[in-house]
Amino acid sequence: MEELLPIEPVVRQHIFIGRNKELVTYHNWLAEDQAVSTLFVVSGMGGIGKSALLAKMNHDTKEKGIHTIFLDGSVCPQTPYGFMEYLHMLIHPYQHGASIDILIHNPLQRKIILYLDHFDEITVLHSWFINAFLPHMASKGIGIVLATRNPVASPHMRTVSLPLTHFIYVETLNYINAVSNLPAKQAHQLAFKSDGFPLGLALAVDMLTKSRKADLRIVSQTISAKFLREVTAVSLHPLLEALIVMEYANQELLAAVLQRPICLDEYRSLQKLSFIDLHPYGLKLHDIAKNYLKQDFQMREPSRLASLHRTCMQVLYQQLTDTSLTDRAVITSALLKMNRDIWPKNNAYLSFASPITQVETDHIVESDIPILHELIEDWCSYSLDPEHNQNYHKFLDALIQLDPDTILLLRNQQHLPIGMFITVHFTTKTAPLLLHHFRADLEACFTPEGCRQAALQADSYVPILITATDHHLSYTRQELTGMLIMEQLAKLEPGKRAILVATNESLNQFLRTIGFRSRPAGDTRCDTSWAKAEVLELDLRKGAFEDWIFDLVPFKQKQIPTLTIEETRKILHSIKSTIELEEYTDYFTDCATGQAVQMKIMSLLKQTNHLTSDQRDVLWNGFIRFPENAVHAAEMCNMSRATFYRHQKKAIQQLTHILCS
């Protein structure tokens, strides 16, 4: 494997992409004649591009002829006196004998900018810097720009917060094209996989341009290691691993998963990590950090990750059965999201190839309406016969007036709608509107009496349509649609049901996968000219909510057949074919695919704590390097054929024992 370049040189490439909003804010301040002294706080997780932005700001400021001073916290002395001496040393030769007084008095009333990169490295000086150093700065013209993982603020100086997020797809692609000559298809795939994380992007591009056989898993491991260097206390590692699996966790949940008390100091230390975000119910991992850390965990210890996943599922399920109604939606959402990875990927609505981190859900505002009509027109083009299109446009306008909160939107980073899910709560208020526009659908779902009772009891939700753009550069329409369905399912309450009429077979298959029951619509008015309609229903009105979740999230230990020595031998013979290994997944609780079986076996063959070196050699040479040439395999192990077969038999027995334990 070719060695990666050091992280810092890769990150500090001369190509600078994005950060337009942050730069505009900073440049506007530079343009003010009598600018109030200001503290700019550039914050974000490690690798998000804080140092690159400071370098860009410094360059732009120098281009304007403004004096700048650049400090690196990683080499600053850790005492106030030492810090002041270091600062004076930087000012003195550059400002022709000037001292630190130019920051305190600014006698020429000109702008002076002090950049302090790696502010986290001078932790012992934080309080002194904020409460003793900053108050002495001149009131006009002084700019202080900090790069820090966790946001800070000063009561003594105007503070402007500049938190950094990952790049959007266009910025990611611009960076790839600026620093490489990758083919368009490969550039698109890399932009999609990188999640717009600057460090991951820089490392991946560098590896692909310098190596013919680049292994992007090394990028994940490198970034994971960078994150983990921030975790200085070993006791925090188990807590972090739990957050890799869970959507969120508080002290109580962490204690239940790890089966030990979690003290407040541990919890607060975890919270201070740059890649930990706050969640209304505790703490959560930043989406990008979660992605890389989970990939690395999966490569290193797939069995332990699967075991931890089951434990977390059981804890959340227990909490779900004991909690109040108001908290159920949050827990259900966490359970659903935790299981995306293990659901079948043969359905486009379930193929979450990459975590959807560049979109958000929201409700409608007036400026959205024209875009929503465009989304409906697009949806009608592949869902309906043309004569029914106008009915949906009229329904949308009427629903916006009657109950706009029933429309859930998916927005991109520019806050524009890219998806829409209309789910109407069927009540006496909404029934007339639905009957006017969708009488055939309702008559296929309900009997006349059932329709009246459903409206009176307000126990049913009727999904009308779900659609998303097919022009999002990172995600398919089906992936965005699947995400919207998950968002709404998580809000489905016990004692309620969801019922709809649908003709899209792929969507129907998806809904059946996640617990909906289906039946023929029985009313030809609901059909299209190319497909028969089905009624799909998820009925949780009879206390079946926990049962639905229990069936939906497969965290129960599956009943596995006993693995024999002969079956282990067959697995080893098929080790290079993930397709052939598919038939052996039932022997393992932590392997849902042939690739997972392959990774599990290969991982064991590399470990020294289970198999002896001789056992690893005979298995590696006999089944990996020379599977068709036992003579050569024996020679490579410095054994006769008889000795080789004897050792191989014992090695397979030992491997079988390990796999069964």
Side-chain angles (χ1 to χ4, degrees):
M1 188 69 63
E2 293 189 16
E3 186 177 358
L4 288 173
L5 289 179
I7 289 175
E8 286 300 317
V10 173
V11 174
R12 294 172 183 263
Q13 297 211 32
H14 65 280
I15 298 296
F16 188 87
I17 298 293
R19 308 307 182 203
N20 296 325
K21 181 177 68 175
E22 292 80 8
L23 287 171
V24 166
T25 299
Y26 176 70
H27 286 158
N28 286 343
W29 179 85
L30 285 181
E32 294 180 24
D33 289 335
Q34 295 293 318
V36 174
S37 293
T38 300
L39 173 68
F40 295 92
V41 181
V42 178
S43 61
M45 61 196 289
I48 201 68
K50 301 183 295 294
S51 296
L53 180 56
L54 257 66
K56 172 66 173 173
M57 288 176 164
N58 185 34
H59 174 269
D60 290 355
T61 306
K62 284 183 175 181
E63 289 283 299
K64 296 178 184 294
I66 297 173
H67 292 309
T68 68
I69 308 158
F70 203 101
L71 285 76
D72 190 335
S74 61
V75 296
C76 275
Q78 296 286 308
T79 64
Y81 176 79
F83 179 87
M84 297 292 279
E85 282 292 302
Y86 177 45
L87 182 56
H88 177 76
M89 179 184 71
L90 293 174
I91 293 174
H92 185 74
Y94 185 64
Q95 298 284 353
H96 306 295
S99 70
I100 202 169
D101 285 345
I102 65 168
L103 293 174
I104 297 173
H105 302 295
N106 194 9
L108 300 179
Q109 295 296 299
R110 294 176 181 171
K111 285 193 176 65
I112 304 169
I113 317 299
L114 171 65
Y115 301 93
L116 179 48
D117 199 3
H118 301 112
F119 185 62
D120 306 277
E121 299 290 336
I122 54 171
T123 307
V124 295
L125 294 182
H126 280 193
S127 178
W128 170 84
F129 185 87
I130 297 296
N131 299 306
F133 179 76
L134 292 183
H136 291 291
M137 296 296 100
S139 61
K140 297 281 183 69
I142 304 300
I144 310 285
V145 186
L146 301 182
T148 173
R149 288 171 177 158
N150 299 298
V152 297
S154 169
H156 312 290
M157 180 180 273
R158 175 175 175 259
T159 302
V160 174
S161 181
L162 301 174
L164 300 187
T165 59
H166 51 277
F167 292 148
I168 61 175
Y169 175 86
V170 173
E171 293 170 337
T172 304
L173 201 59
N174 287 342
Y175 175 86
I176 295 171
N177 292 333
V179 301
S180 74
N181 294 314
L182 294 177
K185 182 178 180 181
Q186 195 173 12
H188 168 77
Q189 291 172 341
L190 182 57
F192 178 64
K193 290 179 179 178
S194 73
D195 257 339
F197 183 47
L199 174 61
L201 183 60
L203 289 171
V205 171
D206 184 73
M207 176 178 282
L208 284 172
T209 54
K210 286 182 166 57
S211 173
R212 297 178 185 176
K213 298 180 179 179
D215 187 350
L216 292 182
R217 292 177 300 177
I218 301 299
V219 173
S220 180
Q221 292 172 332
T222 304
I223 295 170
S224 176
K226 182 175 177 66
F227 288 143
L228 294 176
R229 278 201 298 272
E230 191 180 331
V231 188
T232 53
V234 176
S235 61
L236 294 183
H237 283 208
L239 282 69
L240 184 60
E241 288 177 345
L243 282 180
I244 290 173
V245 175
M246 304 181 81
E247 286 299 305
Y248 68 88
N250 53 27
Q251 275 181 274
E252 179 187 0
L253 279 174
L254 290 170
V257 170
L258 302 177
Q259 298 185 327
R260 69 171 178 85
I262 305 299
C263 69
L264 188 58
D265 286 344
E266 283 182 302
Y267 190 74
R268 285 176 175 168
S269 296
L270 186 67
Q271 183 179 341
K272 290 177 182 177
L273 298 176
S274 71
F275 49 88
I276 297 293
D277 291 337
L278 290 177
H279 184 278
Y281 285 72
L283 304 177
K284 68 185 289 290
L285 266 175
H286 190 287
D287 289 330
I288 290 177
K290 186 185 187 79
N291 190 23
Y292 284 109
L293 288 169
K294 191 170 185 178
Q295 285 180 35
D296 184 44
F297 200 164
Q298 176 66 42
M299 284 187 285
R300 286 186 290 106
E301 299 177 273
S303 298
R304 195 163 70 83
L305 177 61
S307 176
L308 181 60
H309 185 272
R310 285 195 300 272
T311 301
C312 292
M313 294 295 298
Q314 289 163 348
V315 167
L316 274 180
Y317 178 77
Q318 185 60 48
Q319 190 184 53
L320 179 67
T321 58
D322 297 338
T323 195
S324 64
L325 293 179
T326 56
D327 293 342
R328 283 176 179 265
V330 176
I331 300 170
T332 304
S333 177
L335 285 166
L336 292 173
K337 289 176 181 177
M338 283 173 62
N339 282 275
R340 285 176 175 172
D341 292 343
I342 57 179
W343 282 342
K345 295 297 186 293
N346 59 344
N347 187 288
Y349 295 94
L350 284 169
S351 60
F352 299 101
S354 178
I356 299 183
T357 58
Q358 299 183 9
V359 293
E360 59 177 338
T361 54
D362 194 11
H363 288 290
I364 187 173
V365 295
E366 187 174 354
S367 60
D368 297 327
I369 296 174
I371 301 176
L372 301 191
H373 278 289
E374 291 176 10
L375 286 172
I376 281 188
E377 190 62 32
D378 183 41
W379 177 82
C380 289
S381 68
Y382 61 83
S383 301
L384 300 172
D385 289 308
E387 62 267 22
H388 299 298
N389 292 12
Q390 200 57 35
N391 182 50
Y392 281 83
H393 288 286
K394 292 179 180 178
F395 171 74
L396 175 64
D397 289 333
L399 187 63
I400 290 171
Q401 298 300 319
L402 179 68
D403 194 0
D405 286 343
T406 60
I407 305 172
L408 180 69
L409 300 185
L410 204 60
R411 298 186 185 275
N412 60 16
Q413 284 196 326
Q414 289 73 44
H415 210 60
L416 297 174
I418 56 172
M420 170 174 55
F421 196 172
I422 300 177
T423 304
V424 180
H425 189 196
F426 191 57
T427 65
T428 53
K429 175 185 175 182
T430 59
L433 179 64
L434 289 176
L435 285 166
H436 177 72
H437 289 278
F438 306 112
R439 180 174 292 276
D441 287 14
L442 293 181
E443 289 178 354
C445 293
F446 306 108
T447 63
E449 178 59 23
C451 186
R452 191 178 73 86
Q453 288 297 322
L456 290 172
Q457 295 173 10
D459 61 1
S460 300
Y461 288 92
V462 183
I464 300 298
L465 71 86
I466 178 169
T467 185
T469 179
D470 205 26
H471 304 296
H472 195 284
L473 295 172
S474 296
Y475 306 106
T476 66
R477 170 187 282 141
Q478 288 83 359
E479 286 176 325
L480 295 174
T481 300
M483 178 189 173
L484 276 168
I485 292 173
M486 290 302 147
E487 287 288 325
Q488 288 292 59
L489 272 180
K491 299 171 186 175
L492 190 61
E493 306 166 23
K496 306 289 185 182
R497 68 173 164 182
I499 187 166
L500 71 151
V501 174
T503 55
N504 184 324
E505 178 52 35
S506 184
L507 176 63
N508 294 352
Q509 182 188 9
F510 167 63
L511 294 176
R512 287 192 291 267
T513 300
I514 58 177
F516 279 75
R517 296 184 180 277
S518 66
R519 67 176 188 270
D523 191 326
T524 57
R525 292 177 298 170
C526 301
D527 298 341
T528 65
S529 57
W530 63 85
K532 295 289 185 182
E534 289 185 37
V535 176
L536 293 109
E537 182 177 13
L538 179 61
D539 193 345
L540 308 178
R541 294 175 300 172
K542 300 177 182 178
F545 188 80
E546 287 84 4
D547 293 336
W548 170 58
I549 291 294
F550 190 80
D551 292 335
L552 185 60
V553 291
F555 64 81
K556 298 174 288 184
Q557 287 276 4
K558 59 182 179 181
Q559 297 297 316
I560 60 172
T562 302
L563 184 68
T564 64
I565 293 173
E566 187 55 35
E567 293 299 326
T568 302
R569 185 182 294 275
K570 290 178 181 178
I571 290 173
L572 289 168
H573 277 297
S574 302
I575 194 65
K576 294 187 178 182
S577 171
T578 57
I579 296 176
E580 292 179 15
L581 291 174
E582 291 285 345
E583 64 179 280
Y584 300 102
T585 56
D586 288 343
Y587 288 97
F588 308 99
T589 59
D590 55 352
C591 296
T593 65
Q595 184 180 15
V597 174
Q598 184 186 62
M599 291 177 64
K600 182 182 182 74
I601 301 299
M602 296 295 283
S603 175
L604 289 172
L605 293 183
K606 294 176 182 178
Q607 292 179 12
T608 59
N609 54 338
H610 293 302
L611 296 168
T612 67
S613 59
D614 283 346
Q615 288 172 337
R616 293 199 309 276
D617 283 347
V618 296
L619 293 177
W620 191 265
N621 285 295
F623 295 102
I624 310 297
R625 295 187 65 190
F626 311 108
E628 306 298 331
N629 194 335
V631 174
H632 198 173
E635 289 175 354
M636 293 301 296
C637 295
N638 295 317
M639 298 177 184
S640 66
R641 287 185 64 184
T643 303
F644 174 80
Y645 283 129
R646 187 168 65 252
H647 278 270
Q648 190 181 78
K649 181 178 179 180
K650 290 182 179 180
I652 294 173
Q653 289 175 339
Q654 177 64 13
L655 181 61
T656 304
H657 174 73
I658 294 168
L659 292 170
C660 291
S661 60

